[in-house]
Amino acid sequence: MSPPETPPSAVDWALAERVAVRIGGRAPFSGAHHLDGLTAEFDEHTALAEGLVAETTGLRSLHGEARARVVGRSDWIRANLASLQRLLRPLFEKMAERPATAFTPLAAAAAGTELGAVLGWMSTRVLGQYDLLVLEDEAAEDQDLVYYVGPNLVALERRYAFDPRHFHLWLALHEVTHRAQFTGVAWMREHYLGLVASLLEDAEPEQVNILESLRELAARRRSGTDRADGGVMGMVATPRQQEVLDNIASLMSLLEGHGDVTMDRAGRGIVVGADRFARVLRDRRRSATGVARIFQKIVGLEAKLAQYARGEAFIG
């Protein structure tokens, strides 16, 4: 799938991909042979999980059966770069209309490096993801997918001696719940994407200075004055955009909490070891130190973890 065309001066996407793939490739189990057998297994688990989620919640997708795709870190990176390009297209088009605000090649390279570093790090952590962005002008087979990042699954289950089949079904329950939320509730996808579109429509090219925002975030971290509640986005947001960000955060808190509660209820009596899986992943999220902790602050993940907990408490 070829990503959509964007103004060449916006971000050096090729550099972002190279940086991200290089970082992701340093993590263990990057070889393709580690994915052997996982595709058929996740096809089975995803179908089973979809039925269990429907029985538990009453939510059934209005867009047909869920489709699983097991990927390596590099493929996950490329899929997310393509999604980002589609998502940010309105902002890039606005930039193209204002030559005075166009990025220089050096700035585009810097933005590509920063983006690549974040995606590369995330590619070593993410286990599964539902890609909810659907566009009519993109290939249908590359959209509305439930992704599973095989190398990270293998690394985690070997480190903690998880039973792979139960762990994989447990993960599938979570990701399929997200798909049911966005495709089983007729207005949910459009509502969420509408919030994101509103955020981008209000953005002015002059605001988009990621490097300066990173410097300010680092300075606040050193001085102890950063709140870690919005990452870089929170640093560049106008009051109106901050309101939209708060709405997005509230919605995601609710959906993540609902997802956690649903996977527990749907897997009860079926998934062996679910409590341990959940405990290990909670500890994994919270125990980040050093560079990992800095990255969590940059992308706002610390606040996100707190939102997950609040959402689960509300749903429960």
Side-chain angles (χ1 to χ4, degrees), residues 147-169:
Y147 287 103
Y148 302 98
V149 186
N152 296 341
L153 293 169
V154 172
L156 198 66
E157 64 200 30
R158 292 193 182 182
R159 178 177 180 181
Y160 293 100
F162 288 165
D163 181 311
R165 290 191 63 81
H166 286 283
F167 179 52
H168 296 170
L169 176 57

Side-chain angles (χ1 to χ4, degrees), residues 37 39 106 119 122 125 135 170 173 217 228 256 270 274 282:
T39 296
L106 181 60
L119 278 179
M122 291 181 69
R125 305 282 294 180
L135 296 178
W170 181 79
L173 284 168
L217 190 64
E256 285 292 343
I270 299 173
R282 280 196 298 268

Side-chain angles (χ1 to χ4, degrees), residues 30-148:
S30 294
H33 64 282
H34 292 295
L35 306 184
D36 292 346
L38 288 180
T39 296
E41 184 179 335
F42 271 106
D43 284 343
E44 175 187 339
H45 286 323
T46 299
L48 175 58
E50 191 167 39
L52 292 171
V53 167
E55 291 174 8
T56 302
T57 65
L59 293 176
R60 298 183 184 276
S61 174
L62 304 176
H63 297 276
E65 297 179 353
R67 293 177 298 130
R69 180 171 293 181
V70 179
V71 296
R73 296 187 186 103
S74 59
D75 287 334
W76 180 88
I77 288 166
R78 294 183 184 104
N80 278 270
L81 281 171
S83 289
L84 279 172
Q85 286 177 274
R86 294 197 300 265
L87 190 65
L88 296 175
R89 187 184 300 170
L91 180 59
F92 291 148
E93 289 174 348
K94 188 181 293 188
M95 288 178 175
E97 294 170 0
R98 301 187 182 187
T101 66
F103 287 143
T104 65
L106 181 60
T113 301
E114 296 288 349
L115 177 59
V118 171
L119 278 179
W121 176 77
M122 291 181 69
S123 77
T124 68
R125 305 282 294 180
V126 67
L127 302 176
Q129 172 185 321
Y130 169 59
D131 185 7
L132 64 91
L133 185 60
V134 174
L135 296 178
E136 293 181 359
D137 58 347
E138 298 291 336
E141 64 271 17
D142 291 320
Q143 301 186 71
D144 190 31
L145 293 169
V146 180
Y147 287 103
Y148 302 98

